[in-house]
Amino acid sequence: GLAEVIKHAVIADPGLLDLLPTHPNLVARAAAVKIGVVQRDPYENGERANLNFGHTIGHGLEAASAFALRHGEAVSLGMIAAAWLAVQLGIAPPELQTQIGQALQRVGLPTHLRDTGLQLDIEQVRALMQNDKKKVGKQLTFALPERLGNMRFGVAIPDDLILAAIQQLL
């Protein structure tokens, strides 16, 4: 659940990071972010894709681990990879990946695969990502952070950069 809270902080409410890990309003405030996004985009025509932040690579990691990685752990790693992609593409400043990583570490979530004790094949992770629902034709698209509280969705990423993003998680 805390991976989702951090995701919501990155998407639209950076102040959530100040409430980690146990503030009484944490869950309600994070849920308000999701509710707001879903209300503004009930048919998944745009902004709602931001809720997939961290999930595109995360689902590939989860499946490649035969679900030994919990969903929150996989999403945590996926958010690090997505932030790395955003930095590489010049969408986000380098310190954003550090901010997200520090928040994830503060609540005990992994920021590298070595934190989990698992070894995964990056080609298998990439192949399993093809099952992701956020595709345009055969092209995976990503929700990437520009800064805390601001996202860019529908970003197409070349395969070599996706593989590099997975590789940097090792």
Side-chain angles (χ1 to χ4, degrees):
L2 288 173
E4 295 292 326
V5 168
I6 292 169
K7 176 188 84 172
H8 293 139
V10 174
I11 289 171
D13 186 356
L16 279 166
L17 298 179
D18 298 329
L19 304 179
L20 292 172
T22 59
H23 191 279
N25 294 331
L26 188 67
V27 173
R29 196 158 144 184
V33 170
K34 184 169 187 171
I35 291 166
V37 169
V38 171
Q39 285 177 336
R40 288 188 300 277
D41 185 12
Y43 301 107
E44 298 191 49
N45 294 320
E47 177 190 5
R48 193 163 170 175
N50 288 335
L51 296 175
N52 204 42
F53 171 55
H55 286 68
T56 304
I57 290 175
H59 286 154
L61 293 165
E62 204 173 15
S65 77
F67 300 93
L69 271 179
R70 291 186 220 151
H71 182 70
E73 294 169 326
V75 170
S76 175
L77 294 167
M79 285 190 284
I80 290 295
W84 184 88
L85 285 167
V87 171
Q88 298 309 304
L89 294 169
I91 292 171
E95 59 270 13
L96 182 63
Q97 183 181 3
T98 302
Q99 287 176 295
I100 294 169
Q102 288 172 342
L104 293 165
Q105 289 172 336
R106 194 163 66 235
V107 299
L109 287 166
T111 56
H112 291 89
L113 270 167
R114 68 178 168 268
D115 300 337
T116 70
L118 297 172
Q119 293 183 339
L120 302 178
D121 179 291
I122 64 170
E123 295 287 346
Q124 181 186 26
V125 172
R126 175 64 186 95
L128 290 166
M129 287 170 57
Q130 284 303 323
N131 298 326
D132 193 83
K133 64 183 179 178
K134 303 295 185 212
K135 289 186 351 186
V136 176
K138 293 185 178 189
Q139 177 70 53
L140 284 171
T141 60
F142 288 76
L144 301 178
E146 294 178 328
R147 63 181 184 280
L148 291 179
N150 197 47
M151 299 288 293
R152 186 180 300 182
F153 59 86
V155 181
I157 308 287
D159 265 355
D160 61 333
L161 200 52
I162 293 171
L163 287 170
I166 300 165
Q167 180 71 40
Q168 66 84 36
L169 291 172
L170 300 181

